[in-house]
Amino acid sequence: MTVKSTARARKKAAPGVPDNRAGVAAPELVQLLTPEGDRVEHPDFPLTTTPEELRSLYRDLVLVRRFDAEATSLQRQGELGLWASLLGQEAAQVGSGRAMRPGDYAFPTYREHGVAWCRDVDPLNLLGMFRGVNHGGWDPNEKNFHLYTIVIGSQTLHATGYAMGITKDGADDAVIAYFGDGASSQGDVNEAFTFASVYNAPVVFFCQNNQWAISEPTTNQTRIPLYRRASGFGFPGVRVDGNDVLACLAVTRWAMDHARSGNGPVLIEAFTYRMGAHTTSDDPTRYRLAEETEAWKAKDPILRLKAHLDKEGLADEAFFAEVEAESEKLGLRVREGVRSMPDPDPTLIFDHVYSEPHTLVDEERAEYLEYAASFEGGEHN
Amino acid sequence: MSAQLSIAKALNEALRKSLENDPKTVLMGEDIGKLGGVFRITDGLQKDFGEDRVIDTPLAESGIMGTAIGLALRGYRPVVEIQFDGFVYPAFDQIVTQLAKMHARALGHVKMPITVRIPYGGGIGAVEHHSESHEAYFAHTAGLRVVTPSNAHDAHWMLRQSIESDDPVIFLEPKRRYWDKGEVGEDPGFPLYSARVVRPGTDATLIAYGPMVKVCQEVAAVAEEDGRRLEVVDLRSVSPIDFATLEESVKRTGRGIVVHEASVFMGVGAEIAARLTERCFYHLEAPILRVGGYHAPYPPSRVEETFLPDLDRVLDAVDRAMAF
């Protein structure tokens, strides 16, 4: 693969030191499905799947991509203030998301729309914060899916603390903490690694290395492959083909079981690519080459699973048509749902600042209401 | 309890009771286990409640705060100890960005019943970063509550009330008063966020909290010799502030002087002065004055007495207020 050269990346590795720089796809990448759609085995991560399961994963990938595309369009139409697309990362998210058990808990960044889908979170819930009607607002405990976290890496500590609580409860659940290659440089992520390791917490750190932290390539974050960071903290690290839904499923399932069985944390680096912009406010043409994006197109997670289903005769035209129809239906529901999403009452500002009464907030609410009532019609907006 | 306890011991007993009363209460911090904390506030607690509930953490304040948030999400009630005031800043991001906002951004679906204990303030001859008063940073942040006791009774009961609160509470411990003794009563006597008149007077109101309450009480005693009757109000809670009590007092005395160790500029005193001016404008005989630290980094300990408000500086402010 091609990685944009930087002065640092061009620098030769020291003699005798293996060239394991982050951007280099090393041979240790776990893969179960080749980009051509051929099933391969990995000695450490066996996976048996039924045709139904494969079709179900395909459906997830297609629907998640459709939802994402719809949200991007809605942003372009002015219905959302911003959107962070997951385009290209569907397999990493669906594979890891489907590896979770009902009692497990996920701590997402702001791009884990595919994981949310797997946790059965209503896609419309995810759009509230991007439309500006709330900051998330769903009940994290309803689907064991925490609120989106925007400050980079903060949620890895929350995940670790939550996992420490699981240990205290004597439960056999596990936690998965999502973050990206950029976040791997954050102090919080490294502190999370430390706490998780020291307390043997049942948490899986799932790093989607999508090669770009807005405009900064992975070579700006690390000089070794990210999964190898784990060894310095004393737990296993695995690099998986992030565009291979089967490999992501198998490796995450193993890691979650490893963690829930009292063996401590695991770091998974899902090697993938952000096909779109960082967010709808970004312009990737300023910092990366079209050829690079083109090269990754050939590794598309959906095309390779479709190729596999076709080659093995595991799905017929009726199935694909059914998924397509479902996708259309989802798109319509999302469009209509967003457009009819009401603005909150302005007094939302004062709700839930505290869970118990607070004199200042109560006073300011009363002042605001009095002020608003002083306008003709009793409403100021 | 009705015993004479030091503030340190009163806090220790409060933590013990909280651990006894709620199995979900856990303590977290650096050196709080075998050592009992650098000020011994957690002395003996790990021995009695185990390493699972009194947790010696890695030396990473953001990590302590972030994992405490995760534990709270799992249903625990963490009480975090930050070793010294100047060490809280690595955790500042987690406190301001995550802890303070979590309840609101979840539209009330989750609660953050976390107490963050921080020994604060100067006057103990410490090295750099061990004498700071950062209450204004926290009070400025919506979603946090900030309280600070000035005596053993309040130290005990306010800590228990803070731990029982479902909101995050920054609990500031006046470290130079840790060894002051006082009676700890059988019940709290006051709601957590109320101010308290600790000495009635008629000529001016001294408003203080934490370590400065004692200074103001000494000021009032000395001023009485000059025939001035000063009222002293212990604020106890810096967020929210019990303005009703302050307003009642200042309307009666006509003069208010706010005293704190933190720098005066943009400090808690500024907020109090502004609000009392609005509420008591026609009752004031003088502007609300402020006495506090200078706009300088906390100084080396050999000159910290110059930085800290003391008897003479407060008396000087009283003279100025009376001269209007």
Side-chain angles (χ1 to χ4, degrees):
Chain A
M1 54 152 290
T2 322
V3 169
K4 190 182 178 187
S5 310
T6 66
R8 217 184 290 172
R10 276 197 300 271
K11 217 167 86 180
K12 275 196 161 177
V17 176
D19 188 350
N20 266 325
R21 289 171 313 207
V24 181
E28 62 273 14
L29 194 74
V30 176
Q31 193 178 69
L32 298 181
L33 194 62
T34 67
E36 294 73 33
D38 296 318
R39 187 73 168 77
V40 288
E41 293 300 325
H42 190 284
D44 299 330
F45 301 100
L47 181 73
T48 48
T49 46
T50 64
E52 267 165 317
E53 285 169 329
L54 292 174
R55 285 195 296 269
S56 172
L57 288 169
Y58 176 81
R59 174 181 170 271
D60 287 337
L61 295 174
V62 169
L63 294 182
V64 160
R65 180 171 289 183
R66 177 52 186 264
F67 163 67
D68 184 74
E70 204 63 52
T72 300
S73 299
L74 285 163
Q75 195 281 333
R76 296 296 181 225
Q77 293 160 23
E79 297 290 344
L80 301 178
L82 184 81
W83 182 244
S85 168
L86 63 31
L87 189 64
Q89 298 174 224
E90 297 88 349
Q93 296 194 13
V94 167
S96 59
R98 285 291 172 217
M100 296 173 71
R101 288 193 199 165
D104 294 342
Y105 212 106
F107 284 81
T109 69
Y110 44 79
R111 205 189 294 282
E112 266 64 75
H113 324 312
V115 183
W117 174 264
C118 295
R119 295 308 287 173
D120 201 24
V121 174
D122 186 339
L124 284 167
N125 278 352
L126 307 176
L127 298 173
M129 67 182 281
F130 292 99
R131 187 172 168 84
V133 301
N134 57 43
H135 291 316
W138 61 84
D139 179 358
N141 293 320
E142 197 184 326
K143 308 286 186 185
N144 285 8
F145 186 77
H146 189 62
L147 302 174
Y148 276 1
T149 297
I150 291 180
V151 175
I152 303 301
S154 302
Q155 75 283 357
T156 57
L157 280 168
H158 309 158
T160 302
Y162 192 93
M164 288 162 64
I166 289 175
T167 306
K168 288 184 194 308
D169 293 343
D172 72 344
D173 302 321
V175 178
I176 184 163
Y178 289 89
F179 62 107
D181 42 295
S184 72
S185 300
Q186 287 283 354
D188 276 3
V189 172
N190 289 272
E191 292 187 22
F193 287 177
T194 298
F195 276 65
S197 177
V198 165
Y199 297 117
N200 214 41
V203 54
V204 172
F205 295 106
F206 194 90
C207 175
Q208 289 168 84
N209 178 356
N210 68 12
Q211 315 302 326
W212 293 94
I214 305 190
S215 70
E216 297 201 9
T218 319
T219 44
N220 275 28
Q221 316 294 343
T222 184
R223 298 302 306 277
I224 61 161
L226 288 172
Y227 77 95
R228 286 179 56 191
R229 291 262 179 94
S231 71
F233 291 90
F235 53 88
V238 183
R239 179 184 270 184
V240 59
D241 183 342
N243 286 19
D244 173 352
V245 71
L246 299 185
C248 289
L249 175 67
V251 170
T252 311
R253 198 177 270 167
W254 166 81
M256 295 294 271
D257 286 340
H258 177 92
R260 81 174 82 253
S261 310
N263 300 307
V266 176
L267 170 62
I268 299 172
E269 177 190 1
F271 206 76
T272 181
Y273 193 78
R274 193 193 76 209
M275 295 300 290
H278 163 70
T279 65
T280 45
S281 299
D282 178 34
D283 174 13
T285 63
R286 293 177 74 104
Y287 53 81
R288 70 186 189 189
L289 299 170
E291 299 91 81
E292 179 184 307
T293 313
E294 279 304 309
W296 275 92
K297 261 190 189 161
K299 302 177 187 180
D300 185 82
I302 300 185
L303 292 181
R304 81 167 75 177
L305 186 55
K306 180 158 195 311
H308 181 66
L309 292 172
D310 283 340
K311 277 183 188 176
E312 303 293 325
L314 301 173
D316 55 16
E317 280 311 310
F319 166 75
F320 291 116
E322 196 184 304
V323 172
E324 187 48 37
E326 206 181 340
S327 161
E328 285 302 315
K329 222 171 108 186
L330 174 67
L332 183 66
R333 186 168 96 78
V334 168
R335 262 194 318 279
E336 287 180 344
V338 166
R339 287 176 181 152
S340 61
M341 207 178 268
D343 284 351
D345 188 290
T347 54
L348 170 78
I349 294 169
F350 306 103
D351 296 340
H352 314 300
V353 181
Y354 297 91
S355 70
E356 295 167 0
H358 189 282
T359 47
L360 180 60
V361 176
D362 294 346
E363 275 170 28
E364 291 189 348
R365 180 201 295 271
E367 280 167 18
Y368 167 75
L369 288 173
E370 196 183 336
Y371 169 74
S374 72
F375 284 80
E376 209 171 322
E379 213 171 278
H380 172 62
N381 217 330
Chain B
M1 226 160 286
S2 286
Q4 288 283 322
L5 296 180
S6 67
I7 286 182
K9 186 64 182 164
L11 292 167
N12 177 271
E13 288 292 328
L15 292 172
R16 177 176 293 279
K17 287 279 183 231
S18 300
L19 286 163
E20 278 171 7
N21 292 346
D22 182 357
K24 291 291 187 186
T25 298
V26 292
L27 313 189
M28 307 172 71
E30 299 160 2
D31 304 300
I32 67 168
K34 283 199 175 74
L35 184 70
V38 293
F39 289 105
R40 310 292 182 264
I41 307 301
T42 55
D43 188 34
L45 298 178
Q46 191 183 64
K47 185 171 153 285
D48 293 344
F49 294 93
E51 292 178 8
D52 210 36
R53 299 193 60 200
V54 181
I55 307 166
D56 266 330
T57 63
L59 268 70
E61 286 78 10
S62 188
I64 297 169
M65 204 57 246
T67 52
I69 290 168
L71 278 161
L73 289 168
R74 180 75 189 181
Y76 284 84
R77 196 170 279 272
V79 183
V80 164
E81 174 174 308
I82 299 293
Q83 198 159 66
F84 278 95
D85 33 60
F87 303 167
V88 77
Y89 302 110
F92 197 68
D93 168 52
Q94 283 285 348
I95 292 173
V96 172
T97 313
Q98 305 295 331
L99 178 67
K101 296 178 170 71
M102 197 68 85
H103 182 69
R105 48 200 294 274
L107 293 178
H109 287 118
V110 298
K111 288 176 176 170
M112 284 286 119
I114 296 178
T115 303
V116 185
R117 296 181 36 241
I118 314 175
Y120 83 117
I124 63 163
V127 296
E128 207 182 1
H129 310 301
H130 289 66
S131 303
E132 299 182 11
S133 297
H134 38 34
E135 60 273 17
Y137 294 134
F138 297 115
H140 191 64
T141 302
L144 302 177
R145 295 174 184 269
V146 185
V147 302
T148 175
S150 68
N151 59 67
H153 176 87
D154 280 352
H156 181 85
W157 287 108
M158 286 170 69
L159 181 54
R160 288 177 64 174
Q161 290 169 317
S162 297
I163 295 169
E164 283 166 15
S165 169
D166 280 340
D167 287 323
V169 179
I170 307 296
F171 190 91
L172 300 172
E173 301 175 359
K175 71 166 87 77
R176 72 157 116 164
R177 307 289 182 221
Y178 267 148
W179 304 279
D180 287 7
K181 286 191 171 179
E183 186 163 317
V184 176
E186 294 291 346
D187 57 74
F190 299 90
L192 181 54
Y193 308 109
S194 61
R196 196 159 68 87
V197 176
V198 292
R199 182 188 176 105
T202 51
D203 296 338
T205 303
L206 300 180
I207 301 163
Y209 50 86
M212 282 295 120
V213 173
K214 189 175 180 180
V215 170
C216 288
Q217 283 173 309
E218 287 164 3
V219 168
V222 170
E224 192 158 34
E225 292 166 21
D226 297 336
R228 279 180 183 157
R229 292 158 60 85
L230 303 179
E231 181 147 307
V232 181
V233 180
D234 181 352
L235 204 56
R236 299 185 349 126
S237 174
V238 173
S239 176
I241 288 175
D242 176 5
F243 279 106
T245 297
L246 301 185
E247 183 182 342
E248 190 280 322
S249 174
V250 170
K251 275 184 174 168
R252 213 169 1 86
T253 63
R255 291 177 175 84
I257 299 159
V258 191
V259 183
H260 52 57
E261 287 190 18
S263 302
V264 166
F265 186 69
M266 294 283 169
V268 171
E271 182 63 34
I272 292 174
R275 295 221 178 219
L276 287 181
T277 302
E278 281 182 40
R279 287 170 177 240
C280 313
F281 192 66
Y282 291 108
H283 297 77
L284 290 177
E285 303 288 341
I288 307 288
L289 299 182
R290 291 167 289 160
V291 185
Y294 299 106
H295 193 59
Y298 195 88
S301 62
R302 294 283 178 172
V303 289
E304 71 179 331
E305 297 304 334
T306 304
F307 185 88
L308 293 168
D310 60 7
L311 191 79
D312 288 334
R313 276 178 64 198
V314 181
L315 279 171
D316 176 68
V318 171
D319 286 345
R320 283 186 284 126
M322 298 307 289
F324 272 94

